[in-house]
Amino acid sequence: MKKISVIIPAYNEEESLPTLYQRMEKIMELMPNYEFEILFVNDGSKDNTIKIIKQMREKDNRICYVDFSRNFGKEIAMIAGLDYAKGDCVIFMDADLQDPPELIPELVKYWEQGYDDVYAKRKSRKGETWLKKFTSKMYYKVLQKVTRIEIQKDTGDFRLLDRRCVNALKKLRESQRNTKSMFSWIGYNKKEVLYDRDPRIAGQTKWNYMKLVDLAIDGITSFTTSPLRISTFIAIPTFIVLFIYFIYVIAKTFVVNEPIQAYQAIILLILFFSGIQILLFGIIGEYLGRIFNETKHRPLYLVNEYNGEKEMNEEKREEKIN
C-alpha cells in the first residue's frame, strides 16, 4: 500500500483546523487503497493551533506534527515538512482551505500515471483583490523574463510531488527560499490540473504586501543574476545619450553663440547619476545580503517537538524517521 503525506504548514489557524480535518477525513475514506499521513508543521503559532493538532492526533494516529521553536516562515515550514514526511509522495496544502482537499484524488490519479510533479493551476482566485491578482501576474511575467527556467503561472504550493522530487528539494538548503521557483528548477515530469481557488474559510491571510515583496525579491535573486547586469544595460545607453548631449551643447555654443548654464547641467547630471548609483547599490546589496546569510551555515529551523517527542539529535532523528 502506497503512502501519501499531506504537508500542511500552519500559523495561527485554530479556526480552520476542525473543518480541514473533517474534509480530509472524507477524502481518506474515499481512498482506502492508500495509507495517509497528515503532517502539520506548526510555524510558531501564538493561538491554540498546536493544542488542536495534538487533540486530533490523540484521536487519529494518521495526524503527525512538527512544532517549531518559533516562527520561521512558510518557506522554511515547507522544507521541514519534506524532511519529516515518510510518504511515497507528498502533497502541499494550505491550512485555510483555499486549496480544496477534494482535488487530491485527481492529483494522485496523474501521479499513478507516471507524473512526478502534479501541480494545481488556478482558474480563478476568489476572495483576492484586483491589486493582488494584478501584481501577482506582473511578478510572474518579470520572473519568467529574467530566468532561464520555465515558471508555472498562476500556481501556488498546492501540488503533489513524487519521492524523487522530494529528495531533490531536500538537497536545496539555502536559507532564503522561494519554493515555487524551486519546483520549476528541479524539472521532472510535470502535469497541470486546473481548479478554482476558494476564499479562506476563517481568519485573515498572513501574507501582507511587505511579505509578498520579500518573497518576490527572493524569487528573482535566488534563480538569476540578471539584475546585476542592469548596470551594463543602463551604462551603454547613458553614455550614448551623454555623448549626443555633449555634441549638442558644443555645437549650440559655436553656432548660436549661447552661453551654457553650467549649474543647471551639473545639478541634472548629479541627480541622474546619483539615482543610478543608488539603484545599483541596492541590487548589489541584495546579493551581498544573500551571501552573508548563506555563509553563516545556520540550521534552517529548530524543532521543539515532533509527534509528542522533544527534538533529538540529527543522527537519531534520521534513524527514527527512516
Side-chain angles (χ1 to χ4, degrees), residues 78 80 95 107 110 123 132 134 153 175-176 178 191-192 201 204 244 252-253 297 322:
M78 292 174 67
L107 301 180
Y110 287 114
K123 291 191 296 183
K132 186 174 181 180
F134 175 76
K153 299 177 182 178
S175 59
Q176 292 176 284
N178 187 278
K191 175 64 178 178
E192 173 186 294
I201 64 165
Q204 298 293 326
I244 294 173
K252 187 177 181 180
T253 302
H297 298 296
N322 297 331

mmCIF file of all heavy atoms in Angstrom, residues 78 80 95 107 110 123 132 134 153 175-176 178 191-192 201 204 244 252-253 297 322:
data_model
loop_
_atom_site.group_PDB
_atom_site.id
_atom_site.type_symbol
_atom_site.label_atom_id
_atom_site.label_comp_id
_atom_site.label_asym_id
_atom_site.label_seq_id
_atom_site.Cartn_x
_atom_site.Cartn_y
_atom_site.Cartn_z
ATOM 1 N N MET A 78 7.877 24.475 4.847
ATOM 2 C CA MET A 78 7.713 23.518 3.753
ATOM 3 C C MET A 78 8.903 22.567 3.649
ATOM 4 O O MET A 78 8.730 21.360 3.459
ATOM 5 C CB MET A 78 7.500 24.275 2.442
ATOM 6 C CG MET A 78 6.168 25.018 2.382
ATOM 7 S SD MET A 78 5.972 26.042 0.916
ATOM 8 C CE MET A 78 5.885 24.797 -0.371
ATOM 9 N N ALA A 80 10.856 21.767 6.094
ATOM 10 C CA ALA A 80 10.764 20.914 7.281
ATOM 11 C C ALA A 80 9.780 19.774 7.041
ATOM 12 O O ALA A 80 10.024 18.627 7.440
ATOM 13 C CB ALA A 80 10.345 21.739 8.494
ATOM 14 N N ALA A 95 -3.564 25.451 5.166
ATOM 15 C CA ALA A 95 -4.498 25.101 6.231
ATOM 16 C C ALA A 95 -5.801 25.881 6.145
ATOM 17 O O ALA A 95 -6.791 25.512 6.782
ATOM 18 C CB ALA A 95 -3.846 25.337 7.593
ATOM 19 N N LEU A 107 -5.081 14.536 -8.267
ATOM 20 C CA LEU A 107 -3.623 14.646 -8.236
ATOM 21 C C LEU A 107 -2.983 13.267 -8.177
ATOM 22 O O LEU A 107 -2.007 12.985 -8.886
ATOM 23 C CB LEU A 107 -3.182 15.479 -7.030
ATOM 24 C CG LEU A 107 -3.697 16.922 -6.925
ATOM 25 C CD1 LEU A 107 -3.164 17.587 -5.659
ATOM 26 C CD2 LEU A 107 -3.309 17.739 -8.148
ATOM 27 N N TYR A 110 -3.045 11.247 -11.583
ATOM 28 C CA TYR A 110 -1.981 11.561 -12.540
ATOM 29 C C TYR A 110 -0.623 11.088 -12.045
ATOM 30 O O TYR A 110 0.243 10.729 -12.846
ATOM 31 C CB TYR A 110 -1.962 13.063 -12.819
ATOM 32 C CG TYR A 110 -3.116 13.520 -13.672
ATOM 33 C CD1 TYR A 110 -4.097 14.376 -13.156
ATOM 34 C CD2 TYR A 110 -3.245 13.091 -14.989
ATOM 35 C CE1 TYR A 110 -5.165 14.795 -13.942
ATOM 36 C CE2 TYR A 110 -4.313 13.509 -15.783
ATOM 37 C CZ TYR A 110 -5.269 14.354 -15.253
ATOM 38 O OH TYR A 110 -6.330 14.748 -16.033
ATOM 39 N N LYS A 123 -7.759 28.554 -11.947
ATOM 40 C CA LYS A 123 -8.599 29.164 -12.979
ATOM 41 C C LYS A 123 -9.152 30.493 -12.483
ATOM 42 O O LYS A 123 -9.330 31.425 -13.261
ATOM 43 C CB LYS A 123 -9.749 28.223 -13.335
ATOM 44 C CG LYS A 123 -9.336 26.972 -14.071
ATOM 45 C CD LYS A 123 -10.545 26.229 -14.608
ATOM 46 C CE LYS A 123 -11.436 25.733 -13.484
ATOM 47 N NZ LYS A 123 -12.584 24.942 -13.989
ATOM 48 N N LYS A 132 -3.974 42.559 -5.891
ATOM 49 C CA LYS A 132 -3.139 41.386 -5.618
ATOM 50 C C LYS A 132 -3.036 40.490 -6.847
ATOM 51 O O LYS A 132 -1.964 39.966 -7.165
ATOM 52 C CB LYS A 132 -3.706 40.600 -4.434
ATOM 53 C CG LYS A 132 -2.800 39.454 -3.994
ATOM 54 C CD LYS A 132 -3.321 38.793 -2.738
ATOM 55 C CE LYS A 132 -2.394 37.667 -2.295
ATOM 56 N NZ LYS A 132 -2.881 36.992 -1.069
ATOM 57 N N PHE A 134 -3.337 41.463 -9.978
ATOM 58 C CA PHE A 134 -2.557 42.170 -10.992
ATOM 59 C C PHE A 134 -1.059 42.116 -10.680
ATOM 60 O O PHE A 134 -0.243 41.819 -11.559
ATOM 61 C CB PHE A 134 -3.020 43.624 -11.078
ATOM 62 C CG PHE A 134 -2.190 44.465 -12.012
ATOM 63 C CD1 PHE A 134 -2.342 44.353 -13.389
ATOM 64 C CD2 PHE A 134 -1.254 45.362 -11.510
ATOM 65 C CE1 PHE A 134 -1.571 45.122 -14.249
ATOM 66 C CE2 PHE A 134 -0.484 46.130 -12.361
ATOM 67 C CZ PHE A 134 -0.637 46.014 -13.733
ATOM 68 N N LYS A 153 2.772 29.619 -14.290
ATOM 69 C CA LYS A 153 1.983 30.793 -13.938
ATOM 70 C C LYS A 153 0.727 30.383 -13.166
ATOM 71 O O LYS A 153 0.187 29.297 -13.371
ATOM 72 C CB LYS A 153 1.578 31.562 -15.199
ATOM 73 C CG LYS A 153 2.750 32.082 -16.018
ATOM 74 C CD LYS A 153 2.267 32.776 -17.278
ATOM 75 C CE LYS A 153 3.436 33.255 -18.131
ATOM 76 N NZ LYS A 153 2.977 33.890 -19.385
ATOM 77 N N SER A 175 18.954 29.306 2.839
ATOM 78 C CA SER A 175 18.106 29.835 3.898
ATOM 79 C C SER A 175 17.029 30.774 3.376
ATOM 80 O O SER A 175 15.926 30.833 3.925
ATOM 81 C CB SER A 175 18.962 30.554 4.950
ATOM 82 O OG SER A 175 19.690 31.619 4.361
ATOM 83 N N GLN A 176 17.323 31.544 2.333
ATOM 84 C CA GLN A 176 16.327 32.443 1.740
ATOM 85 C C GLN A 176 15.708 31.732 0.544
ATOM 86 O O GLN A 176 16.267 31.705 -0.545
ATOM 87 C CB GLN A 176 16.973 33.761 1.342
ATOM 88 C CG GLN A 176 17.416 34.584 2.545
ATOM 89 C CD GLN A 176 18.138 35.848 2.150
ATOM 90 O OE1 GLN A 176 19.295 35.803 1.754
ATOM 91 N NE2 GLN A 176 17.470 36.971 2.253
ATOM 92 N N ASN A 178 12.637 30.299 -2.136
ATOM 93 C CA ASN A 178 11.436 30.554 -2.918
ATOM 94 C C ASN A 178 11.042 29.221 -3.547
ATOM 95 O O ASN A 178 11.491 28.873 -4.635
ATOM 96 C CB ASN A 178 11.674 31.620 -3.988
ATOM 97 C CG ASN A 178 10.386 32.009 -4.698
ATOM 98 O OD1 ASN A 178 9.943 31.338 -5.616
ATOM 99 N ND2 ASN A 178 9.769 33.093 -4.256
ATOM 100 N N LYS A 191 2.648 17.777 -14.595
ATOM 101 C CA LYS A 191 1.283 17.726 -15.118
ATOM 102 C C LYS A 191 0.453 18.823 -14.460
ATOM 103 O O LYS A 191 0.501 19.020 -13.252
ATOM 104 C CB LYS A 191 0.647 16.352 -14.837
ATOM 105 C CG LYS A 191 -0.816 16.251 -15.234
ATOM 106 C CD LYS A 191 -1.024 16.396 -16.738
ATOM 107 C CE LYS A 191 -2.489 16.238 -17.096
ATOM 108 N NZ LYS A 191 -2.728 16.422 -18.546
ATOM 109 N N GLU A 192 -0.323 19.525 -15.262
ATOM 110 C CA GLU A 192 -1.154 20.622 -14.777
ATOM 111 C C GLU A 192 -2.579 20.155 -14.508
ATOM 112 O O GLU A 192 -3.162 19.404 -15.288
ATOM 113 C CB GLU A 192 -1.149 21.739 -15.827
ATOM 114 C CG GLU A 192 -2.093 22.879 -15.563
ATOM 115 C CD GLU A 192 -2.125 23.857 -16.721
ATOM 116 O OE1 GLU A 192 -1.098 24.518 -16.982
ATOM 117 O OE2 GLU A 192 -3.181 23.938 -17.395
ATOM 118 N N ILE A 201 -11.727 30.093 4.718
ATOM 119 C CA ILE A 201 -12.954 29.787 5.446
ATOM 120 C C ILE A 201 -12.996 30.519 6.786
ATOM 121 O O ILE A 201 -14.066 30.680 7.376
ATOM 122 C CB ILE A 201 -13.109 28.271 5.679
ATOM 123 C CG1 ILE A 201 -11.985 27.737 6.580
ATOM 124 C CG2 ILE A 201 -13.166 27.530 4.379
ATOM 125 C CD1 ILE A 201 -12.272 26.359 7.131
ATOM 126 N N GLN A 204 -7.632 35.632 8.921
ATOM 127 C CA GLN A 204 -7.078 36.584 7.969
ATOM 128 C C GLN A 204 -5.789 36.026 7.369
ATOM 129 O O GLN A 204 -5.074 35.270 8.009
ATOM 130 C CB GLN A 204 -6.780 37.924 8.666
ATOM 131 C CG GLN A 204 -8.009 38.607 9.253
ATOM 132 C CD GLN A 204 -8.968 39.082 8.176
ATOM 133 O OE1 GLN A 204 -8.553 39.491 7.092
ATOM 134 N NE2 GLN A 204 -10.272 39.008 8.462
ATOM 135 N N ILE A 244 25.809 62.355 -27.132
ATOM 136 C CA ILE A 244 24.985 63.153 -28.046
ATOM 137 C C ILE A 244 24.711 64.527 -27.439
ATOM 138 O O ILE A 244 24.780 65.561 -28.123
ATOM 139 C CB ILE A 244 23.670 62.416 -28.366
ATOM 140 C CG1 ILE A 244 23.957 61.134 -29.147
ATOM 141 C CG2 ILE A 244 22.718 63.314 -29.140
ATOM 142 C CD1 ILE A 244 22.736 60.260 -29.362
ATOM 143 N N LYS A 252 25.811 73.965 -30.211
ATOM 144 C CA LYS A 252 24.959 75.105 -29.924
ATOM 145 C C LYS A 252 25.786 76.319 -29.484
ATOM 146 O O LYS A 252 25.468 77.471 -29.826
ATOM 147 C CB LYS A 252 23.954 74.724 -28.834
ATOM 148 C CG LYS A 252 22.902 75.797 -28.560
ATOM 149 C CD LYS A 252 21.901 75.309 -27.530
ATOM 150 C CE LYS A 252 20.839 76.364 -27.280
ATOM 151 N NZ LYS A 252 19.841 75.933 -26.272
ATOM 152 N N THR A 253 26.843 76.040 -28.759
ATOM 153 C CA THR A 253 27.703 77.131 -28.292
ATOM 154 C C THR A 253 28.365 77.858 -29.451
ATOM 155 O O THR A 253 28.423 79.096 -29.490
ATOM 156 C CB THR A 253 28.773 76.576 -27.342
ATOM 157 O OG1 THR A 253 28.142 75.927 -26.236
ATOM 158 C CG2 THR A 253 29.660 77.701 -26.821
ATOM 159 N N HIS A 297 25.787 29.402 7.716
ATOM 160 C CA HIS A 297 25.563 27.957 7.834
ATOM 161 C C HIS A 297 24.725 27.608 9.071
ATOM 162 O O HIS A 297 24.979 26.613 9.743
ATOM 163 C CB HIS A 297 26.891 27.199 7.865
ATOM 164 C CG HIS A 297 27.694 27.368 6.611
ATOM 165 N ND1 HIS A 297 27.280 26.918 5.381
ATOM 166 C CD2 HIS A 297 28.901 27.956 6.412
ATOM 167 C CE1 HIS A 297 28.182 27.211 4.469
ATOM 168 N NE2 HIS A 297 29.171 27.854 5.060
ATOM 169 N N ASN A 322 13.595 7.096 9.198
ATOM 170 C CA ASN A 322 13.810 6.092 8.163
ATOM 171 C C ASN A 322 13.461 4.690 8.640
ATOM 172 O O ASN A 322 13.182 3.811 7.864
ATOM 173 C CB ASN A 322 15.267 6.137 7.687
ATOM 174 C CG ASN A 322 15.617 7.464 7.033
ATOM 175 O OD1 ASN A 322 14.735 8.117 6.447
ATOM 176 N ND2 ASN A 322 16.866 7.895 7.135
#
